[in-house]
Amino acid sequence: MSDLSFLLGRWATGPDPLYLLLAARIRSLIEEGALAPGAGLPAERPLAARLSVGRGTVVRAYDLLREEGALVRRQGSGTAVAPAAAPEPGAGEATQYGMAFLGMFEPPPESLMLTCAAPDAPPPALHAAYREAAARLAGFSDDIGYHPAGLPELRAALADRFTARGLATSPDDVLITNGAQQALDLLVRCRVLPGDTVVAERPTYPGALALFGEAGAAVRTVDVGPAGTDVPALLAAMADGPALTYLVPSFHNPTGAVMDPLHRRRVAAAAGEHGLLVIDDETMADLGFEGPVPPPLASYPGGERIVTVGSLSKLAWGGLRVGWIRARPPVLDRLRRAKALSDMGGDVASQLAAAVLLRDPDALVRDRRAELRTRHDRLAAELDRRLPDWRYTPAAGGQTLWVRLPHGDAASFAQVALRHRVALLPGEALCAGGGGRAWLRLPFLASEETLAEAVRRIAAAWEHYGAAGGPRTAPLRVMAV
């Protein structure tokens, strides 16, 4: 079952009356297959409370869709999707995390966007790297530009960096991808069949949950708290032999926690003991506020089958679509074939620029860490000042705070916040199987001035939400009828 308020996302944006916006969003959910034919919808009054609108808004939206033939409404039976109003089912619940993930990238009009956690501008070092890459391209000859496994120069640079961190790696152990998202997509497509079990942390990166949902996997979760991942629960889940285990041990998304060396050693040993494929998502690994970059899980005994995924999207810029997979045969061989069939190789100019950045990344890492630490502290100070009842654990690194509301529902509050011109990501988008209803992920990537203004708007929205009583009811489920 899916929570309708979660599926609706940021529906209340645009110049039209709210009932038209709500009807348009429900209509699109039906057309996309997220609301299957015959699915029962919540009653008007509780849905209105969850969306923080008047009951009349929901009544008019339902009535409009009924007139169009998209919904049926019967006395005593409630409201449901019309039998012929949608295509054959097949997406259903698998689409909900995918829709939430894609919604993170939709800039709401005239609003501050705190949904997607990525740098908002390329650093000067990237400008210089592309200038050098362009000059290098002018001298290319006898090169058709297709490098399915990635540019040899970049693979060698990454292999050297892994080796320097204690994980002996050759260029043949590295596959270049179009960002870490493609790396995860390749791994899921090659390793997960419908009905397979995937172990993941809760909360976790929403892009991974979207891929697991599309693959039809059953996600078994282990909680991440203030002290990090519940490693005993993780080891118990791994002992049951899942098809895939997905972890973000280095400055976890969204909590910013880091797994300590002893726990890394235990996870690697369990992977080796049970012959499991474990993904170590290192996208945030360079973003710790202090100290060295944590060692990869694969560097510990038993880590031979652990796959390491990384990218430059968080360290440099999301528009630099360069990621990588570090793995050993035969895992990498299968991924290399799948990647070649998918796109025949990535953009050469971007890979050249990435190789330039990795030639001496220390300055880029140092500047990025300092910037993130300053902005983390500013966001924390603004929350403490304006919203002292909100709870969070300061991050050790990464890009986000995981914040707990003192009452109410984050998805419902996000609707109110949007009317105060700030877009937020509710915790349910990061929590497979539920558990994120009281949580928000707040990135600290914007300038200090923008963060201060964002918290001011959030605080105003929270005051309005509290004055309205804030829904304290359970999530409203879409029911099959």
Side-chain angles (χ1 to χ4, degrees):
M1 295 184 293
S2 300
D3 180 357
L4 181 58
S5 60
F6 173 71
L7 291 176
L8 287 170
R10 300 199 303 268
W11 64 274
T13 57
D16 294 328
L18 287 176
Y19 82 93
L20 289 178
L21 296 173
L22 179 58
R25 182 58 178 153
I26 295 174
R27 187 185 303 113
S28 68
L29 291 175
I30 294 171
E31 292 170 351
E32 294 164 4
L35 294 178
L41 300 186
E44 297 97 334
R45 195 177 303 280
L47 180 58
R50 289 275 290 167
L51 299 181
S52 296
V53 297
R55 176 175 175 270
T57 295
V58 179
V59 170
R60 295 183 71 183
Y62 279 2
D63 283 346
L64 177 60
L65 293 170
R66 179 184 57 79
E67 292 170 5
E68 294 175 357
L71 299 181
V72 291
R73 308 187 72 188
R74 298 188 180 92
Q75 187 70 28
S77 300
T79 303
V81 178
E88 287 296 317
E93 287 225 6
T95 66
Q96 65 173 308
Y97 289 108
M99 293 171 63
F101 179 61
L102 293 176
M104 290 165 47
F105 306 102
E106 299 172 1
E110 300 181 355
S111 295
L112 297 177
M113 186 173 174
L114 297 185
T115 52
C116 183
D120 59 2
L126 184 56
H127 302 169
Y130 267 108
R131 286 194 296 269
E132 182 174 335
R136 291 273 307 281
L137 281 175
F140 265 44
S141 62
D142 297 325
D143 188 326
I144 63 174
Y146 293 119
H147 297 275
L151 201 66
E153 177 182 339
L154 177 57
R155 291 162 55 210
L158 286 163
D160 289 345
R161 195 158 189 240
F162 276 119
T163 300
R165 295 175 57 206
L167 178 58
T169 302
S170 78
D172 289 339
D173 298 328
V174 178
L175 173 65
I176 304 302
T177 61
N178 292 308
Q181 187 68 21
Q182 187 188 45
L184 296 177
D185 178 58
L186 288 170
L187 284 157
V188 171
R189 284 197 286 119
C190 288
R191 305 296 302 191
V192 179
L193 297 174
D196 280 351
T197 296
V198 171
V199 173
E201 294 155 313
R202 182 177 63 181
T204 192
Y205 168 54
L209 293 182
L211 293 172
F212 303 152
E214 291 298 319
V219 181
R220 179 174 175 178
T221 60
V222 293
D223 288 337
V224 179
T229 303
D230 183 345
V231 172
L234 171 62
L235 297 176
M238 292 173 66
D240 288 338
L244 198 67
T245 298
Y246 172 73
L247 303 172
V248 189
S250 299
F251 312 110
H252 174 261
N253 180 2
T255 68
V258 58
M259 187 180 289
D260 66 44
L262 176 59
H263 285 151
R264 288 171 187 262
R265 185 176 297 275
R266 294 177 67 190
V267 170
E273 177 185 354
H274 302 296
L276 301 180
L277 187 72
V278 176
I279 299 176
D280 175 3
D281 187 340
E282 283 203 320
T283 307
M284 306 287 179
D286 286 305
L287 304 185
F289 296 151
E290 57 186 29
V293 177
L297 290 179
S299 66
Y300 290 91
E304 292 77 12
R305 285 177 53 82
I306 294 178
V307 176
T308 309
V309 168
S311 83
L312 288 170
S313 64
K314 311 305 182 186
L315 182 60
W317 186 49
L320 179 62
R321 303 307 303 151
V322 174
W324 52 84
I325 298 171
R326 188 272 177 200
R328 298 289 296 152
V331 173
L332 196 67
D333 294 339
R334 184 176 179 185
L335 296 171
R336 191 182 290 116
R337 291 194 299 271
K339 172 75 164 57
L341 291 172
S342 173
D343 62 10
M344 296 190 296
D347 175 65
V348 171
S350 294
Q351 292 182 65
L352 284 170
V356 172
L357 291 177
L358 291 174
R359 188 185 301 151
D360 182 18
D362 291 346
L364 183 63
V365 171
R366 183 178 61 250
D367 292 346
R368 187 88 180 109
R369 283 180 166 192
E371 179 182 73
L372 287 172
R373 179 59 184 265
T374 298
R375 294 178 178 185
H376 167 279
D377 292 349
R378 180 60 183 271
L379 175 60
E382 292 294 332
L383 289 172
D384 292 345
R385 182 166 70 93
R386 294 185 180 273
L387 294 160
D389 292 338
W390 289 26
R391 293 290 176 260
Y392 64 90
T393 298
Q399 303 181 126
T400 58
L401 288 180
W402 185 236
V403 181
R404 184 180 179 89
L405 307 183
H407 67 82
D409 174 83
S412 178
F413 171 64
Q415 301 290 349
V416 178
L418 195 59
R419 291 166 216 159
H420 287 76
R421 298 181 297 118
V422 57
L424 302 174
L425 184 65
E428 289 295 320
L430 298 91
C431 294
R437 182 169 168 252
W439 297 84
L440 289 169
R441 187 185 78 171
L442 295 182
F444 44 83
L445 292 139
S447 68
E448 292 186 66
E449 295 75 15
T450 300
L451 289 172
E453 174 61 18
V455 177
R456 186 194 68 78
R457 296 184 190 185
I458 292 170
W462 185 248
E463 183 177 1
H464 177 89
Y465 185 74
R472 300 169 185 265
T473 58
L476 298 174
R477 301 297 186 180
V478 178
M479 305 295 294
V481 296

